[in-house]
Amino acid sequence: MPSLSKILIILSFGFFCTSLTSLHADSFKASLPDIMLDTRDKPSEFLGLVYLWGEVLSNDISVEYYPFKRSILNVISKQADFHFPLIKNPYKSNSELGFDYSTAVITQVNFVLYTRKDRQIDIDNLSAYNIATDAAHTDLFNFPVEGIFSVDGALKKLNSGRIDGYIFSGEVTDVVLTELHLTNIHRQLYRTYDVHAILPLGGQGNKTDQMITEAQATIMASPEYADVMKNIYVPYTEWQFE
């Protein structure tokens, strides 16, 4: 039987190891858009990625869900450590927006320009046309755009000639386009945007930013997580209704 002194040494070592683990484990508060909970009756792949960030580094990430704009305001007011996802705005500074983007680019999203086949438009001069986009994304453009809340409604409006073009996520819009079977709609890549998490202003390089950078690097470097990232970003493919 080991002596009392040896038992105390073993117990002390175990406590020391546990303390080390707790020192390295951090807690983070995520504010996520509630649309993540209702993506065609299954959780969003983005939600799974957020939980994976915690898992690969043994951190605790608590998640609360809000309407999209409220979730962003939670970060601006420093009531949350981060919101995810958000497309990086190419025309506004962090100070104008009131938040920082994560150092890591998490994924990308392809915005596609939808027009009518019977009317050609110049993609390099879109300010000359009546162009619409999703109502939450009007600030991603440096020319006037109309905000429309429904993809279904926007495509029907385009098909009837009430707008000249519609720009939005190809992954989202293509599903609706196929369901509506609008064969007179032409599609072409408009722009590929970077997608980040966002942090309270002044947060680049802080604990949250470092966690996201390290976790994402771990996931990207591991073959076992390849399918996770494939499900999050779908490359643009050229196709048209015939």
Side-chain angles (χ1 to χ4, degrees):
M1 171 179 284
S3 66
L4 179 60
S5 60
K6 285 185 178 180
I7 291 173
L8 290 174
I9 290 172
I10 292 170
L11 291 175
S12 297
F13 181 73
F15 176 77
F16 175 71
C17 290
T18 302
S19 299
L20 281 179
T21 302
S22 63
L23 283 173
H24 286 288
D26 288 308
S27 297
F28 301 91
K29 184 177 180 180
S31 180
L32 303 185
D34 52 17
I35 55 173
M36 282 192 176
L37 295 174
D38 185 23
T39 307
R40 296 188 173 269
D41 300 322
K42 67 176 183 178
S44 165
E45 298 289 350
F46 287 138
L47 176 58
L49 182 61
V50 168
Y51 281 116
L52 196 54
W53 288 346
E55 182 180 320
V56 296
L57 298 181
S58 299
N59 288 319
D60 175 42
I61 299 179
S62 62
V63 174
E64 294 185 7
Y65 303 94
Y66 299 89
F68 203 97
K69 288 187 177 180
R70 169 66 190 281
S71 184
I72 292 173
L73 286 174
N74 287 340
V75 171
I76 293 173
S77 61
K78 299 186 178 181
Q79 296 180 53
D81 295 311
F82 69 91
H83 160 101
F84 175 72
L86 194 69
I87 295 170
K88 186 168 187 179
N89 191 309
Y91 302 112
K92 290 187 178 182
S93 67
N94 293 5
S95 58
E96 287 179 286
L97 294 166
F99 55 77
D100 284 337
Y101 295 98
S102 61
T103 300
V105 176
I106 311 305
T107 185
Q108 293 181 308
V109 59
N110 298 311
F111 268 40
V112 175
L113 170 62
Y114 298 86
T115 56
R116 294 191 310 280
K117 291 179 181 177
D118 57 9
R119 187 179 182 213
Q120 296 290 322
I121 70 173
D122 182 1
I123 194 171
D124 296 318
N125 188 29
L126 293 179
S127 60
Y129 305 94
N130 183 11
I131 304 297
T133 188
D134 175 73
H137 295 83
T138 55
D139 61 348
L140 294 178
F141 304 90
N142 61 350
F143 54 88
V145 290
E146 176 185 349
I148 299 178
F149 287 96
S150 163
V151 176
D152 181 290
L155 289 176
K156 289 178 179 177
K157 199 170 183 178
L158 172 61
N159 196 57
S160 67
R162 288 180 288 160
I163 56 175
D164 299 315
Y166 178 66
I167 303 173
F168 192 42
S169 161
E171 188 175 357
V172 173
T173 310
D174 285 347
V175 173
V176 181
L177 178 65
T178 303
E179 290 173 350
L180 294 175
H181 201 73
L182 300 176
T183 59
N184 190 40
I185 301 297
H186 177 271
R187 54 191 298 285
Q188 62 182 307
L189 181 65
Y190 168 72
R191 180 171 184 162
T192 300
Y193 291 93
D194 289 337
V195 177
H196 296 250
I198 63 166
L199 322 163
L201 202 60
Q204 286 183 328
N206 72 7
K207 183 175 73 171
T208 305
D209 191 37
Q210 291 171 358
M211 178 276 292
I212 293 171
T213 298
E214 185 179 350
Q216 192 62 20
T218 301
I219 291 166
M220 294 293 288
S222 176
E224 69 179 295
Y225 299 124
D227 287 343
V228 173
M229 298 312 298
K230 283 179 183 177
N231 289 332
I232 286 174
Y233 174 64
V234 179
Y236 175 77
T237 54
E238 183 60 53
W239 62 269
Q240 308 293 341
F241 273 124
E242 298 298 334

